[in-house]
Amino acid sequence: MSGACFLVTGGAGYVGSHLVQALLARGDQVVVFDDLRQGHRAAVPSEAELVVASLSDRARLAEVFASRRFDAVFHFAALSLVGESMREPLRYCVENLSNSLTLAEAAVQAGCRRFVLSSTAALFGFPKHTPIDEAAEVAPASAYGESKLMVERGLHWADQVHGLRSACLRYFNAAGADPAGRIGEDHEPETHLIPLAIGAALGTRPPLTVFGTDYPTPDGTCIRDYVHVADLADAHIRVLERLEAGSCRYNVGSGTGYSVKQVIESVERIGGRPVPHGFGPRRAGDPAVLVASSEALRRDTGWSPRLGALDDIVRTAWAWHAAHPRGFDDRRPN
Ligand code: UDP
């Protein structure tokens, strides 16, 4: 039992809600700050306090910071669709930067000195080498990636000038669901491979389209590094202690890549039924291979994925989607 108190923005969303579960399990107090545009009320357990508000609401933020002393802020709330960011680049850059730095400012003013940012592998764009470590060149290929890079830079200056220590966690492909089955992935629209493949197998979504079969990979489809959302939550908790030594940034992935075809095979193995699918052209902006080196995180914090195998990830995701074919079911029409 650690008994600390944390603010989690975006705590009603996919990765944020899994962190909230992990913090509550340690005996921490949690305040979730979420505007519920993407998040789900039902994803927030009753033991956590839920504040429904926008991060652009400075007065509400100040009120929340005045209500208690937070040991750290975990910041997940953001626009996060790569494709959408290429249609509305300015909205992505303005909103993600402005909301994040408004939050950092409120933390500094309240004397809270620890900040953990949900960042992204999209910072690396089309990487020259794989696996990707923290020394790899940062060159976003989307406005989404750029917006997160700008936030990282803002946090750097907040540390230099105000002593706000930050950990920027650059995730690769977050996947899977709470092994206890309480929460899982529920995006609308859904664009991610694993929920779409499972939905196709369950018949709750249309057949899957495989985006591109002519990549320079062994089976011609893209390779990604899938990291279980519970392992991601664990990484957030571990970096808190690391912050005592100063600000840091880490890549978070399992270190193993799986192709789109391997993901389909895993879903078929776990689900025991076929994934109806067809083949289409490449999706714009998709690099052939994205695999993380998380050596630095492992070395500095002792983190290692407990659900690193693709079948483990798919098993928890399958259980969630099979039990909740309409997701949290708290805002969709029949
Ligand atoms: N993908 C696919 N069909 C889909 C969705 C995704 O073939 O309907 C592929 C996509 O091209 C990528 C991989 O699956 O190579 C993972 O995509 P996802 O959107 O889940 O994550 P991303 O890597 O884009 O963050």
Side-chain angles (χ1 to χ4, degrees):
M1 291 281 157
S2 94
C5 181
F6 297 109
L7 181 64
V8 183
T9 77
Y14 176 42
V15 184
S17 61
H18 285 80
L19 174 69
V20 170
Q21 291 281 10
L23 293 173
L24 291 173
R26 292 179 355 139
D28 296 327
Q29 282 181 49
V30 178
V31 176
V32 170
F33 195 102
D34 198 303
D35 64 9
L36 298 184
R37 269 187 305 175
Q38 294 296 319
H40 306 273
R41 193 179 287 276
V44 181
S46 55
E47 302 95 292
E49 182 183 328
L50 172 62
V51 176
V52 181
S54 162
L55 284 171
S56 60
D57 186 345
R58 284 174 185 266
R60 194 81 181 88
L61 260 183
E63 249 175 54
V64 170
F65 274 102
S67 71
R68 68 203 76 205
R69 198 194 145 275
F70 292 107
D71 292 279
V73 173
F74 293 96
H75 178 39
F76 295 90
L79 301 172
S80 63
L81 297 177
V82 171
E84 187 179 66
S85 84
M86 297 307 280
R87 293 190 295 277
E88 301 176 79
L90 300 180
R91 182 163 80 94
Y92 264 67
C93 291
V94 170
E95 192 168 319
N96 284 351
L97 183 63
S98 148
N99 284 351
S100 300
L101 299 191
T102 299
L103 175 67
E105 213 175 10
V108 167
Q109 278 164 5
C112 174
R113 289 283 180 273
R114 294 195 293 174
F115 194 104
V116 182
L117 174 69
S118 162
S119 191
T120 172
L123 252 57
F124 298 109
F126 292 88
K128 295 194 180 81
H129 305 286
T130 187
I132 304 166
D133 64 18
E134 289 76 7
E137 186 192 350
V138 163
S142 67
Y144 166 64
E146 189 71 49
S147 73
K148 289 282 178 164
L149 180 58
M150 292 192 298
V151 176
E152 289 199 6
R153 297 300 304 161
L155 290 176
H156 165 77
W157 290 109
D159 184 5
Q160 295 294 304
V161 178
H162 301 298
L164 178 68
R165 291 196 168 161
S166 59
C168 300
L169 296 183
R170 298 156 169 185
Y171 318 155
F172 283 61
N173 291 59
D178 172 26
R182 295 163 297 188
I183 50 175
E185 188 165 12
D186 181 7
H187 294 117
E188 199 55 47
E190 185 53 81
T191 59
H192 296 110
L193 176 62
I194 292 179
L196 291 178
I198 292 175
L202 288 170
T204 54
R205 292 190 185 273
L208 180 75
T209 301
V210 175
F211 296 144
T213 53
D214 59 349
Y215 284 97
T217 60
D219 68 19
T221 64
C222 283
I223 291 177
R224 294 289 179 274
D225 181 337
Y226 297 90
V227 56
H228 195 281
V229 69
D231 288 325
L232 272 181
D234 181 41
H236 285 76
I237 292 171
R238 284 170 185 268
V239 295
L240 274 183
E241 283 184 18
R242 170 65 186 75
L243 279 178
E244 300 305 322
S247 291
C248 52
R249 50 175 198 262
Y250 292 110
N251 293 351
V252 195
S254 72
T256 307
Y258 295 99
S259 72
V260 175
K261 282 187 180 164
Q262 286 176 307
V263 169
I264 292 172
E265 285 160 16
S266 172
V267 171
E268 292 183 334
R269 210 164 31 243
I270 300 299
R273 55 182 104 168
V275 173
H277 64 278
F279 299 95
R282 292 183 177 195
R283 184 172 66 178
D286 268 343
V289 180
L290 280 180
V291 176
S293 162
S294 295
E295 285 314 309
L297 182 68
R298 289 171 192 253
R299 184 191 62 225
D300 292 353
T301 72
W303 179 83
S304 72
R306 278 171 288 185
L307 292 160
L310 180 60
D311 280 3
D312 290 337
I313 291 172
V314 169
R315 190 172 293 112
T316 58
W318 180 278
W320 161 257
H321 290 293
H324 302 274
R326 291 168 44 75
F328 287 103
D329 204 18
D330 59 352
R331 67 197 163 106
R332 293 192 200 161
N334 282 321

